Amino acid sequence: MTSVALLILIIAVVAVVLIGAVVGLLVRGRKPAPLPDTHTGVIVQPPEAAEDADAPPVEVSAPPATIEKPESTASRLVRLRQRLAGAQGGFGRGLLALLSRDRLDEDTWESIEDVLLTADLGVGPTQQVVEGLRTRLRVEGAPEDPKAALRAELVNLVDPAMDRRLQVSGADGRPGVVLVVGVNGTGKTTTVGKLARILVAEDRKVTLGAADTFRAAAVDQLATWGERVGVEVVRGTEGTDPASVAFDAVQHGVEAGVDTVIVDTAGRLQNKAGLMDELGKVKRVIEKQAPVTEVLLVIDATTGQNGLIQARVFSEVVDVTGVVLTKLDGSAKGGIVVSVQRELGVPVKLVGLGEGPDDLAPFDAEAFVDALLG
């Protein structure tokens, strides 16, 4: 090898060594780039879920960014009284026409009884009203005004002394729990949604429990009601044990510090024993978290005597504390108010007169009678 070639080889080897040394220094001086953070916590079960891995998931719906402002209770009452007066005025006008006759003979009194009976007042209450009117209008010389006499008898029958306040507040920092029961088709789920609107209008924080898990439509319907007024809805998958959903709803309400939890329940009446077991279980499970402060029975006012049969069944199942009469519109008979109160010994607390979201209001005995008389 010539001296020139040897010199070129030595220079090449030295260059390679120098380049390797520089690269090594650069690599050792550079910190490794951090790995991307891909941990989301989805795979890790919370302790509660890990203890019962077989339990179906329960969802809590989040309220939307924009919510509706429910109508205030005061304006709702005014509007509903006007609607009731327009729908039921014929009942009062018919009775007053009979009572204003120059001579109240036996045929007239029988006609008065017929009007009262066709209004679903019931035999006992009808006889009570007729006897009271006979006494008031029999006074010679200065008989009482027929309308005033009829109003006094009907108000007494509806019983304004009954406590119609909704027990929606709990004690010891726990929420009030309202259990809503009734046969499917009476407007039970809709009533839960409308009741939530009333409470939201009074600035109360509410959680709904969709425990009617046997009807997927009921769960979706309740979720829609909740979304409209910004109320969280606890729901389970279709077929989930209703007691489990009710328990989770109340537990969520306790943890979130809400004022009231309203639980919708299934209304299957095909098997009375099964219904008793199911509702009894729901109530027992709820009360592991907080006492049930109100049990509202929803009855369709248009069903008449069938509504009373339903009332008897549910009163045997749970301790009903109040009644909600839905569809008390032009096709309904106002006397059902008296009949159901006598049947259960508990007051009608709420009435619904239409399909609108705010068509539910507290029941007022004297305002109801005034509306009946038109």
Side-chain angles (χ1 to χ4, degrees), residues 67-132:
I67 60 176
E68 297 178 7
K69 178 63 177 176
E71 187 175 351
S72 69
T73 300
S75 62
R76 186 187 296 112
L77 276 170
V78 171
R79 184 167 52 81
L80 290 185
R81 287 170 185 170
Q82 292 172 344
R83 183 174 298 178
L84 183 61
Q88 304 287 345
F91 165 79
R93 287 192 294 272
L95 282 175
L96 290 174
L98 291 169
L99 291 170
S100 299
R101 290 180 178 179
D102 294 334
R103 183 168 177 270
L104 295 176
D105 55 18
E106 289 304 316
D107 289 339
T108 301
W109 286 114
E110 287 183 8
S111 297
I112 292 171
E113 286 185 0
D114 290 341
V115 172
L116 293 170
L117 288 172
T118 54
D120 272 343
L121 201 62
V123 176
T126 293
Q127 292 176 344
Q128 180 180 331
V129 171
V130 169
E131 290 303 315

Side-chain angles (χ1 to χ4, degrees), residues 1 8 125 164-165 186 283:
M1 179 180 294
I8 293 173
R164 303 179 192 276
R165 294 172 297 176
T186 58
K283 190 170 186 289

